[in-house]
Amino acid sequence: NIPSLLSLLFLFNTQVKAQEEINYSQFLNTITTAVPFLMIGPDSRAGGMGDVGVATTPDANSAYWNNAKSAFLEQEQALTISYIPWLRSLVSDIYMAQAGYTWKPNEKMSVSHGLRYFSLGEITFRGEDASLLQIVNPNELAIDILGVGYKLNQRFSGGFGVRYIFSNLTSGAAVGGSDSKAGNAIAVDLNAFYKKPMSLGDKNADYMFGINVQNIGNKVSYSESAERDFIPMNLKLGTGINIEIDAFNEFGIYMDINKLLVPTPPAYKKEGNGFAEDANGNYLIESGMDPNVSTAQGLIQSFYDAPGGMSEEFNEINWSVGAEYWYDQQFALRLGYFYENPNKGNRNHMTMGLGLKYQIFNLDFSYLVPFTQRNPLENTLRFTMSFDFADIKSVSEESKY
């Protein structure tokens, strides 16, 4: 009969449409930005714990992870220096070096300054006939002009940071027929930190929570004709707890999550062997949103613009967990794990670390073991040295007696 026939046609049409729907969240769709070195954790303490740092106990490297956390720093002054070999299993001249200085003018406030320098080694440019055109040494740097943390009360602090970014990848060489130039940007961080003393049975502990919105800044371009690229604006959330087991032993466990706040590449409509274009030569978007937007619009739409919908947005969240054990504040053991979705970069690795404190020095080491793809830090020992000025004062006073 006619009603039954119409029902069958409706079910058939529904099944055909369901088969035609594409789950874009299952496809490889990584997000790329300019100056990605800004996302490399600079210190080996966090590196040994899977790159957690937003809500760990404050130290000399807190300014990178969360300026607000630095307001709870016990030292009056702290200096830190780090060295990170990069792609060491392939080349020997790529590395990142970092130096940072934090001081506290009073009990409530911290002020930080820092420098990160990333050397990309030596690159040779050749012409179409293989003739030598130019040998360049590309490099990038970030100058943390000013970072401030301020305690609003005994449990909560807020902070901000201002950063200048310089990226010189070609030393002015012509690329694709166009003269290139260095990229420049100004970026800010906005952050907060919460610390609450508590009891776990008969043990004293500190619960911590932190948030940091990093690298909110202008897009950069490497030529007059090229489109401008987003820098890695990102949101970090962290939580953790540090437990005083007894007078000599402490144990902390921490977790961070991170999401880039830049547009997700859309899925473009295919046509033949390429993509369909409009009258202006722009690719037609089949799913997702136009990524060529302003910094403010890009930051907002990064929460809902993925072509695979909210399931893909959740795929863009990286997470890491870390644990740290201290004996007598002299010796530390660390372990961590970092996870990134296979369709968003597929970084999946375990980390381990060691910390040593001797009078005025802190030495931290970390090592990374990849579980999936090759990692730039595999088979590499990275280290950080920090210098505690408060301890210098106490050591010098002790030497008088």
Side-chain angles (χ1 to χ4, degrees):
N1 54 37
I2 293 177
S4 298
L5 180 60
L6 291 175
S7 298
L8 288 173
L9 288 174
F10 175 79
L11 289 174
F12 178 77
N13 186 52
T14 302
Q15 290 175 353
V16 170
K17 286 184 176 180
Q19 292 174 356
E20 291 177 349
E21 290 180 356
I22 301 174
N23 187 356
Y24 291 102
S25 65
Q26 301 300 314
F27 290 87
L28 180 67
N29 192 20
T30 56
I31 300 175
T32 59
T33 69
V35 292
F37 82 100
L38 293 177
M39 298 293 290
I40 302 174
D43 67 292
S44 296
R45 182 197 176 200
M49 295 190 288
D51 277 338
V52 296
V54 181
T56 53
T57 53
D59 64 3
N61 294 285
S62 293
Y64 170 81
W65 299 100
N66 188 345
N67 272 302
K69 189 173 68 169
S70 297
F72 284 85
L73 196 65
E74 295 180 358
Q75 303 98 300
E76 293 180 0
Q77 300 180 67
L79 173 69
T80 178
I81 301 171
S82 296
Y83 177 77
I84 304 175
W86 199 250
L87 290 171
R88 187 46 51 96
S89 59
L90 297 178
V91 294
S92 61
D93 58 352
I94 299 180
Y95 65 90
M96 188 174 85
Q98 175 262 354
Y101 174 67
T102 301
W103 57 286
K104 297 192 68 176
N106 54 57
E107 194 275 333
K108 288 188 174 183
M109 184 177 180
S110 67
V111 180
S112 303
H113 314 280
L115 171 67
R116 275 169 283 161
Y117 176 80
F118 189 57
S119 170
L120 283 81
E122 183 179 281
I123 296 179
T124 302
F125 286 89
R126 295 185 180 275
E128 295 181 357
D129 59 353
S131 61
L132 178 63
L133 296 180
Q134 188 175 358
I135 297 176
V136 301
N137 296 96
N139 58 81
E140 299 177 303
L141 63 86
I143 302 174
D144 294 328
I145 302 169
L146 177 66
V148 174
Y150 188 81
K151 279 187 187 179
L152 300 175
N153 53 49
Q154 291 302 310
R155 295 186 179 181
F156 183 78
S157 63
F160 70 89
V162 181
R163 178 174 303 112
Y164 168 68
I165 303 159
F166 175 80
S167 178
N168 183 18
L169 299 181
T170 60
S171 297
V175 179
S178 299
D179 291 336
S180 62
K181 65 176 184 178
N184 296 270
I186 296 291
V188 299
D189 298 347
L190 300 173
N191 33 67
F193 182 70
Y194 176 79
K195 179 181 178 181
K196 178 183 178 182
M198 58 185 298
S199 297
L200 291 178
D202 60 345
K203 311 297 183 185
N204 293 325
D206 288 320
Y207 168 75
M208 291 160 286
F209 175 82
I211 179 171
N212 191 5
V213 184
Q214 290 182 307
N215 303 316
I216 307 171
N218 61 279
K219 296 164 131 184
V220 300
S221 176
Y222 296 98
S223 73
E224 297 298 335
S225 59
E227 294 182 354
R228 301 176 71 85
D229 298 314
F230 284 95
I231 62 176
M233 300 184 294
N234 65 291
L235 169 67
K236 288 182 181 292
L237 296 172
T239 188
I241 186 168
N242 186 66
I243 306 166
E244 292 184 14
I245 300 172
D246 55 38
F248 295 97
N249 299 279
E250 287 186 22
F251 179 76
I253 185 166
Y254 311 97
M255 180 177 182
D256 279 8
I257 63 173
N258 184 88
K259 186 184 188 307
L260 280 170
L261 301 182
V262 298
T264 304
Y268 293 103
K269 186 176 181 179
K270 292 185 177 180
E271 185 176 74
N273 294 325
F275 298 104
E277 299 180 354
D278 62 16
N280 297 320
N282 300 315
Y283 292 145
L284 296 177
I285 296 174
E286 190 169 81
S287 182
M289 301 179 66
D290 185 2
N292 297 316
V293 294
S294 66
T295 296
Q297 178 61 32
L299 189 150
I300 294 170
Q301 78 175 45
S302 66
F303 290 98
Y304 57 82
D305 66 347
M310 290 309 298
S311 60
E312 184 175 353
E313 293 290 351
F314 281 110
N315 287 346
E316 294 174 359
I317 297 175
N318 305 331
W319 58 269
S320 54
V321 292
E324 179 180 53
Y325 164 75
W326 273 101
Y327 175 73
D328 197 25
Q329 286 299 307
Q330 300 293 313
F331 175 75
L333 292 174
R334 303 180 180 110
L335 192 67
Y337 176 73
F338 181 95
Y339 176 81
E340 183 177 58
N341 187 275
N343 294 324
K344 295 297 178 177
N346 201 26
R347 289 176 295 169
N348 182 2
H349 54 255
M350 181 181 76
T351 63
M352 58 193 73
L354 174 69
L356 301 170
K357 179 177 175 63
Y358 179 71
Q359 293 185 349
I360 62 176
F361 293 107
N362 286 286
L363 292 173
D364 296 303
F365 305 89
S366 64
Y367 192 81
L368 182 148
V369 181
F371 289 149
T372 52
Q373 65 179 22
R374 299 289 299 274
N375 190 289
L377 286 173
E378 66 177 291
N379 302 320
T380 300
L381 184 68
R382 49 194 287 199
F383 72 90
T384 299
M385 180 178 67
S386 56
F387 196 77
D388 188 343
F389 288 87
D391 281 353
I392 292 178
K393 183 178 179 180
S394 61
V395 169
S396 61
E397 289 177 350
E398 290 175 3
S399 64
K400 297 178 182 178
Y401 301 97

